Amino acid sequence: MKIAPKSFLTLKKGNRIVGGLEAIKHSWPWVVRIYFGYTGCGGTIIDDNTVVTAAHCCRGYDTRLDRIKVVVGEHSTAVWDLGQFTIGVRGMHIHPEYHSVTFKNDICVLQTNDMHLRLRHTAAPACLPPSSWHPDVGTRCYAAGWGRMDLNKPSVVLQEVDLDVISDERCEQTPNAGTFIPGQMFCAGHLSGGKDACQGDSGGPLICVKDDQPILVGVTSWGLGCGRPNSPGVWTKVTTYTKWIRTLMSNS
Ligand code: ARG
């Protein structure tokens, strides 16, 4: 695949998503861009008509589904990419115990119109983790999104970054302690700082690879700043919610 000259610059500068690089086009076919009104979030396709995102992105839109736009097969937000399409939302399930102040249970399931994934070259689902399976501490996983690359600028093209799974014990020795809820959330990143998700990446995935399959292990939720040393990002721990998500899928 041809690499545009632009991505060489990216590689040199290396300060995207916060510390990541431009993803190869359509190498993250499960990642979607979701517009809630004008606010952009990320999301993950898990089957033909289901997308998982963050509850704090969905909040306030349950009665305004027509204001939500899910863009699939997106790479650059500045141009209409070949293979990109928009899909409507039919239903929304914010976790019933989501709490907007504490960010508890920050997960939301969107029921979309049929994406006909089998016929698509630019879209595919990620797997849900087996319930109660979570990658070992230190596993290298990957996040992607169009969020801020530094303090102000969102990215025009999809960025990806490698982040390691951090133990709950270690996470509680960071400024995340107090807000961080083990079991419902987990930390991922680099304690040295430099690589992280950031504002605008919320709702998007942290993907870990298991048996050669992409597994949706985390939903980008919150962080104190972006990429600061000793202040890793916090993700919703998807394995805790696998059963809840599967129930919604079989009911739809
Ligand atoms: N809450 C943010 C959003 O709405 C995501 C923040 C993730 N921050 C981080 N440092 N990992 O986009």
Side-chain angles (χ1 to χ4, degrees):
M1 187 165 297
K2 189 165 174 278
I3 300 173
K6 211 168 144 202
S7 53
F8 286 114
L9 286 176
T10 308
L11 287 169
K12 268 191 212 144
K13 270 171 82 191
N15 64 338
R16 307 301 169 91
I17 196 177
V18 181
L21 339 145
E22 178 173 354
I24 291 176
K25 250 189 194 181
H26 307 307
S27 62
W28 287 77
W30 34 83
V31 171
V32 296
R33 179 89 182 136
I34 312 176
Y35 294 95
F36 295 88
Y38 293 105
T39 311
C41 271
T44 309
I45 299 171
I46 54 166
D47 79 3
D48 259 320
N49 44 37
T50 315
V51 165
V52 175
T53 185
H56 79 264
C57 292
C58 289
R59 191 173 168 235
Y61 281 88
D62 43 344
T63 55
R64 298 189 287 167
L65 297 183
D66 56 309
R67 299 276 318 276
I68 306 173
K69 205 173 88 175
V70 177
V71 187
V72 187
E74 172 95 296
H75 180 68
S76 165
T77 58
V79 297
W80 192 265
D81 297 297
L82 206 60
Q84 167 181 347
F85 60 99
T86 296
I87 202 91
V89 173
R90 291 185 291 116
M92 171 186 288
H93 301 274
I94 294 177
H95 193 281
E97 280 144 63
Y98 164 64
H99 195 283
S100 62
V101 175
T102 59
F103 269 54
K104 263 163 75 104
N105 307 299
D106 188 15
I107 190 162
C108 171
V109 172
L110 295 177
Q111 284 168 327
T112 67
N113 292 326
D114 206 309
M115 289 182 263
H116 301 292
L117 296 175
R118 270 181 228 303
L119 308 178
R120 305 284 184 182
H121 291 276
T122 55
C127 308
L128 284 174
S131 72
S132 83
W133 178 86
H134 191 70
D136 294 338
V137 169
T139 302
R140 173 155 300 179
C141 300
Y142 304 89
W146 289 269
R148 288 188 196 173
M149 304 179 293
D150 50 46
L151 283 183
N152 43 70
K153 268 178 89 193
S155 179
V156 171
V157 293
L158 183 64
Q159 301 286 326
E160 65 177 29
V161 70
D162 60 285
L163 301 171
D164 297 342
V165 175
I166 293 171
S167 73
D168 293 347
E169 295 69 29
R170 185 64 188 80
C171 189
E172 298 210 291
Q173 293 159 15
T174 69
N176 291 338
T179 313
F180 174 73
I181 307 170
Q184 301 185 0
M185 309 171 182
F186 68 97
C187 289
H190 302 270
L191 294 162
S192 53
K195 293 181 178 184
D196 196 1
C198 200
Q199 266 61 45
D201 291 320
S202 275
L206 186 79
I207 295 282
C208 308
V209 180
K210 180 185 192 295
D211 304 329
D212 286 329
Q213 298 292 321
I215 314 279
L216 175 62
V217 165
V219 175
T220 306
S221 180
W222 61 276
L224 304 172
C226 303
R228 293 187 197 158
N230 196 42
S231 185
V234 182
W235 273 262
T236 309
K237 192 171 185 174
V238 176
T239 193
T240 303
Y241 304 94
T242 300
K243 257 204 203 141
W244 176 68
I245 299 168
R246 283 203 193 283
T247 311
L248 295 173
M249 288 163 82
S250 54
N251 287 348
S252 71

